[in-house]
Amino acid sequence: MIAIAAVLVLACIVGWQVMRGSLPLLDGEVAFEGYQGAVEVLRDDLGVVTIRAAGSRDLAQATGFVHAQDRFFQMDLMRRKGAGELYALFGPIALEVDRDTRLHRFRHRSRIAFGSLDVQDRELLEAYARGVNQ
């Protein structure tokens, strides 16, 4: 009986640590590649973010990082929905939704739209994606 209780307590502690690992970084400093200058990310007591950066690319990259900290699951889910790849997460229940979505070829259309952007806009989106992937 004591062994079962000890295993349950240990499982709860491990689960708590795993869940805490997905929380946003609120304190400290992190060094990432790709920034041209210093970037400061501040959160107030309510978690509202303020980003200070010298340039727009650094700002876009930091914004991507913050968005991914707060909403990565939602971002990934929306990406999979648009690509018709929900089956990978939810199994057969999502197959019909994926079939209907793939008819629209959103991934292909977004690549065409991205390719038609001017260089500055493309660089901002690439910086944002780098931040998300950090």
Side-chain angles (χ1 to χ4, degrees):
M1 186 69 165
I2 293 176
I4 293 173
V7 168
L8 285 174
V9 168
L10 183 61
C12 288
I13 291 170
V14 169
W16 175 257
Q17 290 300 321
V18 168
M19 295 301 285
R20 283 189 46 76
S22 68
L23 293 174
L25 179 66
L26 300 177
D27 297 318
E29 292 184 23
V30 179
F32 291 118
E33 292 182 19
Y35 289 96
Q36 317 247 308
V39 175
E40 185 177 29
V41 177
L42 304 169
R43 291 179 187 265
D44 67 11
D45 292 338
L46 298 175
V48 177
V49 176
T50 302
I51 302 173
R52 293 189 181 125
S56 57
R57 270 189 261 154
D58 287 348
L59 180 62
Q61 189 168 341
T63 301
F65 177 75
V66 168
H67 283 173
Q69 276 192 313
D70 290 345
R71 305 231 175 248
F72 187 75
F73 179 77
Q74 179 185 13
M75 294 168 75
D76 184 51
L77 188 63
M78 296 308 295
R79 179 187 62 82
R80 289 176 188 268
K81 168 76 169 86
E85 298 173 347
L86 291 177
Y87 183 89
L89 288 179
F90 301 110
I93 195 167
L95 188 58
E96 193 62 36
V97 173
D98 283 354
R99 284 185 181 143
D100 292 342
T101 301
R102 286 187 182 193
L103 292 174
H104 300 289
R105 300 181 64 210
F106 290 128
R107 180 172 283 159
H108 175 72
R109 292 171 190 251
S110 66
R111 286 186 180 131
I112 291 171
F114 181 78
S116 69
L117 293 173
D118 63 40
V119 174
Q120 184 179 6
D121 290 339
R122 197 173 312 142
E123 288 175 351
L124 287 176
L125 285 175
E126 287 170 345
Y128 178 84
R130 269 195 313 276
V132 169
N133 291 325
Q134 288 173 334

